[in-house]
Amino acid sequence: TLSEDDAIKLLRDAGAIVKRENGSPGGWTFGIIEESDHIRDEHFALLRRIDNLTTVGMQGGRGTSSAAQQLRDLPDVEVVSLVEVSMTDEDLEVLKTLPNLRDVRLYSYSTTGQVFEFTDRACDIVGELGDLKRLTLMLAKVTDRGVRQLSGLENLQEMAISGVSASGMSASSASTNWE
């Protein structure tokens, strides 16, 4: 069976960033960026071999639907950051399987126009993450209805919303609902 050290080496060799978090005893951060040309969906299965993986970040085309499914049930993940990924709103359902998730960052901007844009359905899903403390939504196609779906996040301490298409609520007024 593959050890944690072997899994980390394979991920690093493929171009992933795998490092210990500063200030977090034993916590690991996994990140991929668009330039990680050798990362394939099967590499995400290696994440299960890393004990105390607390942060997962995906940027660019490497964040796909099948990659999202590999995040399912990772017990220690507290932070998920998805930037310019090729995922659907339904792919975000995987976030519900992360029991310690406290911080979600969704950025959907693109210079190519081929990146998925998170919509009200994403807010429906995120709105069910009752233990969430931080939320960032940048340049999402979210309307007033989507923003209202976030009102049930009672533990939310910090929220940033930018570029939403909500007409009746500005991002600043939406964020003050939780202070």
Side-chain angles (χ1 to χ4, degrees):
T1 182
L2 196 64
S3 72
E4 177 182 65
D5 289 340
D6 291 336
I8 290 170
K9 182 179 180 340
L10 286 170
L11 287 165
R12 285 178 175 160
D13 288 350
I17 300 164
V18 184
K19 63 180 183 173
R20 290 240 185 240
E21 288 189 33
N22 294 334
S24 178
W28 284 97
T29 295
F30 167 78
I32 56 168
I33 55 175
E34 197 161 2
E35 291 78 27
S36 303
D37 290 334
H38 303 290
I39 295 287
R40 303 288 178 255
D41 289 341
E42 58 269 16
H43 286 100
F44 289 93
L46 297 172
L47 296 178
R48 301 204 173 289
R49 302 281 184 197
I50 302 175
D51 290 329
N52 202 16
L53 177 66
T54 58
T55 303
V56 175
M58 297 183 204
Q59 178 180 343
R62 302 296 172 246
T64 64
S65 292
S66 55
Q69 294 312 306
Q70 295 298 330
L71 301 179
R72 186 168 300 285
D73 300 315
L74 291 173
D76 300 317
V77 172
E78 298 173 4
V79 179
V80 172
S81 177
L82 304 174
V83 180
E84 297 182 5
V85 295
S86 300
M87 294 182 184
T88 67
D89 284 325
E90 283 67 33
D91 292 329
L92 296 181
E93 289 280 347
V94 74
L95 299 178
K96 295 180 191 177
T97 72
L98 305 175
N100 290 306
L101 187 61
R102 303 293 180 266
D103 185 346
V104 172
R105 304 166 192 175
L106 304 176
Y107 300 83
S108 51
Y109 50 84
S110 172
T111 55
T112 65
Q114 296 184 12
V115 170
F116 174 74
E117 295 178 288
F118 298 107
T119 68
D120 287 346
R121 176 67 182 123
C123 290
D124 294 342
I125 295 165
V126 171
E128 295 179 33
L129 303 174
D131 292 329
L132 206 60
K133 294 182 187 234
R134 293 183 64 205
L135 174 62
T136 304
L137 288 173
M138 300 301 245
L139 297 173
K141 285 193 171 183
V142 175
T143 67
D144 293 346
R145 188 195 74 73
V147 172
R148 281 191 298 274
Q149 291 302 107
L150 303 174
S151 65
L153 295 172
E154 295 177 6
N155 293 314
L156 200 61
Q157 298 171 355
E158 186 178 327
M159 182 173 72
I161 299 178
S162 173
V164 298
S165 58
S167 59
M169 294 177 83
S170 70
S172 61
S173 67
S175 65
T176 59
N177 291 333
W178 290 279
E179 291 178 357

